Amino acid sequence: MDNNERFGQMEAMLADLLRRMDRQAKQMDRQSEQIGDIVNILKISDARQTRTEERQESMLSELKQHGCFIETMLQGQVKMLDLVSRNSGRTDELENRLPALLTYETRFQRLEDAVFNKAG
C-alpha cells in the first residue's frame, strides 16, 4: 500500500472517529437534558411534597385546636350533667320527704287553728 492509500485510510478512520465522537457528544447532550429534566421533576415533586406537608401540619394544628375546644365543651357538659344529676338527686330526696312534710303541715295547721281560736 502506498502513502496515498495509507493517508486515505487514516483520513477515513479519523472521519469515522470524529463521527463517533460527535454521536457520543449528542448522546451525552441528550442524557444531560434528560438528567436536567429529571432533576426539574424531582424539584417540582419536592416542592409539592413540602407544600403538602405544610398543609397537613396546618390541618393537624387546626384539628388539635378544634379538639381542645371540643374537649373543653365536653368537660363543661360533663360538669353540667353532674349538676343536673345532683339536682335530680336532691329533687328525689325532697319528693321522698314531701309526704312527711305534708303530714306535719296538716298537724301545724290544726295546732295553729287551735291556738288562734282559743286566743280569739
Side-chain angles (χ1 to χ4, degrees):
M1 180 180 311
D2 69 351
N3 287 337
N4 279 337
E5 287 175 354
R6 282 192 182 157
F7 184 74
Q9 242 181 359
M10 286 175 56
E11 192 176 31
M13 285 173 55
L14 283 173
D16 186 46
L17 181 63
L18 287 173
R19 279 192 295 276
R20 285 183 187 176
M21 289 174 64
D22 190 44
R23 266 187 262 138
Q24 286 177 348
K26 287 179 183 177
Q27 285 178 345
M28 288 178 73
D29 284 345
R30 275 188 245 125
Q31 288 174 347
S32 293
E33 288 175 12
Q34 289 173 346
I35 291 171
D37 291 343
I38 290 170
V39 167
N40 287 336
I41 289 169
L42 290 174
K43 286 179 181 178
I44 291 168
S45 178
D46 186 51
R48 285 181 182 164
Q49 181 67 27
T50 301
R51 285 194 307 269
T52 299
E53 288 173 359
E54 288 171 352
R55 282 194 306 265
Q56 287 174 342
E57 287 176 19
S58 174
M59 288 171 55
L60 182 61
S61 175
E62 286 180 33
L63 287 173
K64 283 181 181 178
Q65 289 175 351
H66 211 65
C68 289
F69 176 73
I70 289 172
E71 181 67 27
T72 302
M73 285 185 60
L74 288 174
Q75 287 175 357
Q77 288 178 345
V78 166
K79 287 178 182 178
M80 287 179 65
L81 286 173
D82 185 47
L83 288 173
V84 167
S85 176
R86 280 195 257 153
N87 191 22
S88 177
R90 288 180 182 159
T91 301
D92 290 344
E93 186 181 325
L94 287 174
E95 284 178 351
N96 290 336
R97 290 183 180 180
L98 188 61
L101 291 174
L102 290 175
T103 307
Y104 287 123
E105 182 183 0
T106 307
R107 292 172 80 188
F108 281 127
Q109 187 64 45
R110 281 186 291 184
L111 183 62
E112 198 177 83
D113 289 345
V115 168
F116 285 119
N117 284 339
K118 286 188 179 185

